[in-house]
Amino acid sequence: MTDPEEDLTPEVPLPIFQISQKVKRYQLYDIKAVTWLRRTHNILGVLIGGLPQSPQQNVFLGLPLELQPEEVRYLVETGIAYIVDDLKNHESALRSVPRQLEKHKEILREEGMAAARAFEKQKQQKTKEVLQRLSVRQPAPDLEIATNGDDSLFDTPLSRNSIRKAPDLVPYFSTPTTSYPPFPAPPQHSPPLLPDVSRPSYALFKHLHSKGYFLSPGLRFGCQFSVYPGDPLRFHSHFLATSADWDEELELLDIVGGGRLGTGVKKGWLIGGVEKGPVNDDTKHGSVTESMGSGEEEIAGEKVRTFCIEWGGM
């Protein structure tokens, strides 16, 4: 018996598709990967696809899932995913269509035959159950007179040709919901592609993510990230996070506005960035390379610090 968790775990690393060349956007199309990332790695993204049964509404959306550049960079650096250039991959796939078409048809034919066999088996089982219920309700007729009499209907034995054969199974035709499988996953780029992210925003994202927070885009609250202590389906956000350079000048009205906005929606306005200068041994939590690699709270040997601002008297 297979473990349900194994059935819900996709193959790692996952392909994330970059669908635009100018304004780079990163999308996931596999529902198994989407749910696994949300459950295991606190990656939310934003669903942007319409629902087939309700195409004229935008309250409830479906696949694909669009990921933030910070989320994509984190997944690539940790080896969970890799970026696929959709344009180049599409052109190479078109060149190999004649070679893969027959293989694709054979896979669909095998899946259709398996579905047909399962349906036929289920149909026979239901027929057997119905006949068993009828035999219990109504006793079988007495055939002794018909079989033992002189005028029997079965004087001659049945020939093999008179026995009705079961109809040949016709494979069902189905449209696969994912491309990988049945096709092999796109090849990984070497060296791996990395999205362009600003240093303060990625540092803040990685710092909060390492603390177990869920981060979603914070555009509707006028910030970079909405920070949730757990899954947004269960919790309200606690912070409105904005990143900044350590020596960046902030307008006083921006600080006042952020604090008032956060307090007005029952959240704290959080601002964070990478502290300048080396980190001493008392506050050091691990080393990180210049490529924004594997640290939790330090970026290139520097510590990430955050400040929370709330407006009093509201």
Side-chain angles (χ1 to χ4, degrees), residues 56-291:
Q56 296 183 351
Q57 57 84 37
N58 58 0
V59 178
F60 301 101
L61 299 177
L63 296 176
L65 181 83
E66 183 167 347
L67 297 173
Q68 303 178 79
E70 291 82 4
E71 292 174 322
V72 177
R73 180 149 192 150
Y74 168 79
L75 293 175
V76 173
E77 288 183 349
T78 53
I80 300 172
Y82 62 96
I83 297 176
V84 177
D85 191 323
D86 186 66
L87 177 60
K88 296 180 180 178
N89 182 70
H90 186 71
E91 292 175 348
S92 62
L94 286 178
R95 289 192 294 266
S96 61
V97 161
R99 187 170 60 254
Q100 293 187 359
L101 186 58
E102 291 302 323
K103 181 180 179 182
H104 181 57
K105 288 182 178 180
E106 182 62 28
I107 293 174
L108 293 181
R109 193 178 297 110
E110 292 176 358
E111 293 179 353
M113 284 300 298
R117 293 191 195 97
F119 178 78
E120 187 65 24
K121 183 177 180 180
Q122 184 180 11
K123 181 180 176 182
Q124 293 177 359
Q125 183 65 25
K126 288 183 178 179
T127 304
K128 184 178 180 181
E129 293 175 358
V130 171
L131 292 176
Q132 288 178 350
R133 288 198 297 267
L134 291 177
S135 63
V136 172
R137 294 179 184 177
Q138 300 178 0
D142 189 5
L143 301 178
E144 186 176 354
I145 299 176
T147 56
N148 296 335
D150 297 334
D151 298 331
S152 175
L153 297 176
F154 304 101
D155 291 337
T156 59
L158 292 175
S159 63
R160 292 187 177 181
N161 295 331
S162 63
I163 300 177
R164 187 176 179 182
K165 296 182 179 180
D168 295 333
L169 292 179
V170 178
Y172 288 5
F173 293 97
S174 61
T175 301
T177 57
T178 60
S179 299
Y180 316 103
F183 292 129
Q188 301 186 37
H189 190 273
S190 181
L193 300 175
L194 290 173
D196 297 329
V197 294
S198 67
R199 186 179 186 82
S201 66
Y202 183 65
L204 180 61
F205 171 86
K206 203 167 186 180
H207 168 70
L208 295 174
H209 185 271
S210 68
K211 300 296 184 182
Y213 288 102
F214 288 71
L215 286 84
S216 69
L219 180 61
R220 62 176 177 171
F221 292 114
C223 59
Q224 286 181 307
F225 307 109
S226 294
V227 185
Y228 297 82
D231 194 297
L233 295 176
R234 299 177 56 196
F235 298 92
H236 289 287
S237 60
H238 283 189
F239 304 106
L240 308 179
T242 301
S243 65
D245 289 321
W246 187 255
D247 54 357
E248 180 180 347
E249 294 185 2
L250 300 176
E251 295 288 341
L252 182 60
L253 289 180
D254 294 338
I255 300 177
V256 173
R260 287 178 63 92
L261 174 62
T263 306
V265 294
K266 300 181 180 179
K267 309 178 196 310
W269 186 61
L270 184 145
I271 185 169
V274 180
E275 183 179 3
K276 275 195 172 182
V279 181
N280 56 38
D281 294 336
D282 296 333
T283 59
K284 192 171 183 180
H285 298 278
S287 61
V288 182
T289 62
E290 288 292 338
S291 61

